[in-house]
Amino acid sequence: MSETSAEPLEPGDGPQDADGQAQTAVEPDAPLGPAGEKALDEWKRRAKEAEKASREQAKRLQAIEDRDKTEVQRASERAEAAEKRAAAMAQRTVRAEVRALAAATFADPSDAAAFLDPSDFMDDDGDVDSKKLEKALADLLKRKPHLAKEGSPPSFDGGARRTADKPPSMNDLIRQKAGLG
């Protein structure tokens, strides 16, 4: 006897076919029915209540921890949060600058932002180094020319055209043969 769950543990424990042999096929889940649906709804409601209670407990714990902190610790945490926000804003600024400069030469400017690291183009003051960025964009286009905008679409014009000459009339043909015109 193998250890699969499809086989009954004891003969006669599981479903049997017409010959009295145990069936080993796994049947799909049956619908829950009204009682099952009611129980499922109850468990969902309890899970939502537990999540809400957990969030409230986390807020109360944070309030207790904040109460025990010194003013210096609170100020330090606020400063850290402000530094994180400033770093995120600087990253967004560089990505926006990349997209703006890439709009002229890239088919999709967001591709350029995806291939370049924004932190490479910020100086110590948090300013964007546009010259370095332009050089990096040009280098990226050399390495990956498929990212560039296509030139103007090809013209299927066929070249310069001229209007057809007016077909000669019968009188013009007679004059031409007679040498008069």
Side-chain angles (χ1 to χ4, degrees):
M1 177 162 61
S2 69
E3 297 180 18
T4 62
S5 62
E7 296 179 2
L9 297 176
E10 296 292 326
D13 282 350
Q16 297 178 351
D17 61 8
D19 297 335
Q21 298 293 327
Q23 293 179 351
T24 58
V26 177
E27 295 181 23
D29 291 336
L32 293 177
E37 291 291 333
K38 184 177 178 182
L40 181 62
D41 291 341
E42 177 66 20
W43 279 106
K44 285 180 182 179
R45 185 187 60 77
R46 287 183 183 180
K48 286 181 184 179
E49 288 175 0
E51 286 177 15
K52 183 178 177 183
S54 175
R55 282 192 300 270
E56 290 173 2
Q57 300 252 341
K59 285 180 185 178
R60 289 197 341 237
L61 177 62
Q62 186 65 40
I64 291 170
E65 288 176 354
D66 286 345
R67 183 184 65 205
D68 295 339
K69 290 181 183 176
T70 65
E71 188 60 36
V72 173
Q73 288 174 326
R74 286 186 221 138
S76 174
E77 287 177 357
R78 285 194 304 266
E80 286 177 20
E83 286 176 1
K84 286 180 185 177
R85 286 193 306 271
M89 289 300 292
Q91 295 284 329
R92 280 189 226 127
T93 302
V94 173
R95 284 194 303 267
E97 185 81 15
V98 168
R99 286 192 301 269
L101 290 174
T105 55
F106 282 77
D108 184 4
S110 62
D111 287 342
F115 283 104
L116 299 175
D117 183 15
S119 62
D120 292 342
F121 307 105
M122 284 191 333
D123 59 12
D124 295 334
D125 296 331
D127 293 328
V128 178
D129 187 357
S130 295
K131 299 286 186 203
K132 188 175 180 182
L133 180 57
E134 288 172 356
K135 184 178 178 186
L137 287 171
D139 184 48
L140 180 62
L141 278 179
K142 286 180 188 174
R143 288 184 290 130
K144 299 188 181 287
H146 61 280
L147 296 176
K149 274 187 179 177
E150 292 185 19
S152 61
S155 172
F156 297 104
D157 188 17
R161 293 198 175 99
R162 61 184 191 100
T163 57
D165 293 332
K166 180 177 134 186
S169 67
M170 187 58 88
N171 288 337
D172 292 336
L173 289 175
I174 295 173
R175 283 190 197 113
Q176 188 178 21
K177 292 290 181 183
L180 299 171

